[in-house]
Amino acid sequence: ETGVTQSPTHLIKTRGQQVTLRCSSQSGHNTVSWYQQALGQGPQFIFQYYREEENGRGNFPPRFSGLQFPNYSSELNVNALELDDSALYLCASSGADTQYFGPGTRLTVL
Amino acid sequence: QKEVEQNSGPLSVPEGAIASLNCTYSDRGSQSFFWYRQYSGKSPELIMSIYSNGDKEDGRFTAQLNKASQYVSLLIRDSQPSDSATYLCAVNHSPGSARQLTFGSGTQLTVLP
């Protein structure tokens, strides 16, 4: 167990809807990163938050947005869902260089 | 485009054998390197991190790094059926505080009893 929690575990949405995924980081970790993992692929970096500020972003469109709260928990918001957004969404927390992943949220877009 | 390539597999080894997993990366400025294990339906679990050229051993696992060749490998000695999983190589391209990991697509390992 890494101490990183995510909710919900599974989610089914329809195309065009909006979704919010949540992550609680490991105690003492002030950095949270979000990744998208499509079936059969490695995780792809979406963005990272450090002390409530975005601190790096991957090649994802603006409809992917996020927040980090004073307790270092984080949200990932996706607007105007597309079928290709179906994936496992992973949150990782880090205090130094190493990232520890939560269990993930499986999002299915129909 | 910063890339991380892994031998696609699948890789099958008999129980007790050595499994060798390989990874190359494109960015010479890469700072740190990680191996994660991912069981089917689960999230990635950190196995090893390596930062300097050479070997790093942890139990049955040995990570090897050669920055000149831009090559990272993971050796699993005395492979067990419980080692059957997908192994992901990850590289941190970003110096400083932005710890963005770029992952390979993973190598699926099956250890046959």
Side-chain angles (χ1 to χ4, degrees), chain A residues 50-64:
Chain A
Y50 171 68
R51 294 187 175 181
E52 303 177 58
E53 298 285 332
E54 189 179 286
N55 186 40
R57 187 179 182 92
N59 189 24
F60 280 82
R63 60 189 184 85
F64 286 78

Side-chain angles (χ1 to χ4, degrees), chain B:
Chain B
Q1 180 95 6
K2 297 179 174 108
E3 295 183 346
V4 176
E5 301 280 348
Q6 295 185 244
N7 42 344
S8 56
L11 175 67
S12 293
V13 299
E15 185 174 355
I18 295 175
S20 176
L21 305 162
N22 304 313
C23 173
T24 59
Y25 59 95
S26 62
D27 182 12
R28 285 194 172 274
S30 298
Q31 303 286 312
S32 45
F33 308 86
F34 305 87
W35 283 98
Y36 286 84
R37 176 176 63 197
Q38 187 172 26
Y39 293 113
S40 181
K42 301 294 185 182
S43 65
E45 171 193 9
L46 180 69
I47 300 175
M48 295 279 289
S49 59
I50 187 165
Y51 303 92
S52 305
N53 280 329
D55 294 359
K56 179 181 177 182
E57 188 174 317
D58 184 0
R60 296 187 295 112
F61 299 97
T62 299
Q64 299 174 316
L65 174 62
N66 183 326
K67 289 186 177 180
S69 302
Q70 296 174 237
Y71 177 88
V72 194
S73 67
L74 180 71
L75 300 178
I76 307 174
R77 289 182 301 281
D78 187 24
S79 295
Q80 302 297 309
S82 58
D83 295 327
S84 299
T86 296
Y87 289 81
L88 296 163
C89 172
V91 176
N92 181 1
H93 300 293
S94 311
S97 61
R99 306 173 195 103
Q100 173 182 339
L101 294 181
T102 300
F103 283 83
S105 57
T107 299
Q108 186 176 343
L109 172 67
T110 300
V111 180
L112 304 169

Side-chain angles (χ1 to χ4, degrees), chain A residues 16-36:
Chain A
Q17 285 189 309
Q18 177 266 341
V19 69
T20 298
L21 310 181
R22 294 180 174 85
C23 171
S24 291
S25 60
Q26 187 177 101
S27 177
H29 285 182
N30 55 20
T31 302
V32 172
S33 303
W34 287 91
Y35 292 82
Q36 180 195 67

Side-chain angles (χ1 to χ4, degrees), chain A:
Chain A
E1 295 294 327
T2 63
V4 182
T5 60
Q6 292 187 244
S7 63
T9 305
H10 296 88
L11 203 51
I12 298 175
K13 292 284 189 179
T14 56
R15 196 170 47 180
Q17 285 189 309
Q18 177 266 341
V19 69
T20 298
L21 310 181
R22 294 180 174 85
C23 171
S24 291
S25 60
Q26 187 177 101
S27 177
H29 285 182
N30 55 20
T31 302
V32 172
S33 303
W34 287 91
Y35 292 82
Q36 180 195 67
Q37 187 176 23
L39 205 59
Q41 300 296 316
Q44 279 198 289
F45 177 75
I46 303 174
F47 44 56
Q48 182 182 89
Y49 280 84
Y50 171 68
R51 294 187 175 181
E52 303 177 58
E53 298 285 332
E54 189 179 286
N55 186 40
R57 187 179 182 92
N59 189 24
F60 280 82
R63 60 189 184 85
F64 286 78
S65 63
L67 280 174
Q68 188 179 30
F69 299 100
N71 66 355
Y72 303 134
S73 66
S74 178
E75 287 183 354
L76 164 65
N77 299 290
V78 187
N79 292 322
L81 283 166
E82 301 177 359
L83 297 179
D84 284 349
D85 295 334
S86 295
L88 179 67
Y89 287 85
L90 296 162
C91 164
S93 80
S94 51
D97 192 50
T98 304
Q99 298 188 19
Y100 298 92
F101 285 91
T105 294
R106 174 74 61 187
L107 173 64
T108 301
V109 182
L110 302 176

